[in-house]
Amino acid sequence: QYIGELSQLIKPETFYRYHDRWTNVLQTACALVAFSIYLAESRLATPADVEEYLGFKVNTENADITVFVITLEEYLHGIISLFNELSRLAVNSVIVNDVKRPQHISAFASELYSGFQLLNLKNDSLRRRFDSIKYDIKRIEEVQYDLRVRNLI
């Protein structure tokens, strides 16, 4: 609702001038969409899914801004935030005796991480957030290791 109101106020020529004011909110919104789609369908949220949920186009081609859009960087930041949630979900799944879910999470996170490694990220906030993914992967692997040691999988 508030994003819609904001989109009405922002003119295309001033989009990047004020972009820093709302980018964190859009990153969080993309992360929530990605996590909800993962929980519902065990798959990665595509830019089309984000567009459907939030009602704004994801600018995947880096085209000129003519309307309010979600930038590709905001989408990718949201996907990186998904790793944080997946590592927490792996731990919490074991707590509630769901020992199979961490295996699925590990396979999904590893495949997604491999995809991120193919990207040529500059030395910016996206690169720094990408570097933090390895800690989430490590946490997921530790959960799996603990389950194997206890002969639960």
Side-chain angles (χ1 to χ4, degrees):
Q1 173 189 354
Y2 296 116
I3 297 173
E5 292 174 15
L6 176 68
S7 70
Q8 299 300 316
L9 298 173
I10 302 301
K11 295 181 175 76
E13 58 272 6
T14 61
F15 180 81
Y16 283 111
R17 174 190 264 173
Y18 302 109
H19 182 252
D20 288 341
R21 306 269 188 223
W22 64 79
T23 190
N24 289 336
V25 173
L26 289 178
Q27 290 171 12
T28 302
C30 289
L32 290 172
V33 170
F35 191 52
S36 64
I37 287 178
Y38 177 79
L39 289 175
E41 303 175 29
S42 296
R43 67 175 179 87
L44 178 64
T46 64
D49 294 324
V50 173
E51 290 174 23
E52 181 182 331
Y53 271 74
L54 300 179
F56 297 100
K57 181 174 177 21
V58 177
N59 190 10
T60 56
E61 293 91 27
N62 277 335
D64 289 338
I65 304 297
T66 57
V67 294
F68 188 88
V69 295
I70 297 170
T71 64
L72 185 58
E73 288 81 15
E74 289 164 342
Y75 169 75
L76 291 174
H77 273 286
I79 299 303
I80 290 173
S81 295
L82 177 62
F83 282 97
N84 301 106
E85 294 305 320
L86 289 176
S87 68
R88 291 178 47 204
L89 180 62
V91 171
N92 290 331
S93 296
V94 173
I95 291 171
V96 296
N97 241 2
D98 184 1
V99 295
K100 292 187 183 211
R101 181 170 283 213
Q103 292 176 309
H104 298 294
I105 291 172
S106 178
F108 178 78
S110 295
E111 187 175 338
L112 187 54
Y113 182 63
S114 296
F116 264 97
Q117 287 178 319
L118 298 175
L119 297 176
N120 184 17
L121 300 173
K122 298 179 220 82
N123 193 15
D124 60 358
S125 65
L126 196 57
R127 176 62 192 207
R128 287 188 294 276
R129 296 267 330 267
F130 167 74
D131 290 340
S132 72
I133 292 173
K134 62 185 166 200
Y135 300 109
D136 294 317
I137 297 286
K138 180 181 176 193
R139 190 171 171 196
I140 294 168
E141 289 172 350
E142 287 172 352
V143 169
Q144 281 198 292
Y145 175 77
D146 288 343
L147 290 172
R148 282 193 187 107
V149 167
R150 292 182 171 96
N151 288 325
L152 296 174
I153 57 172

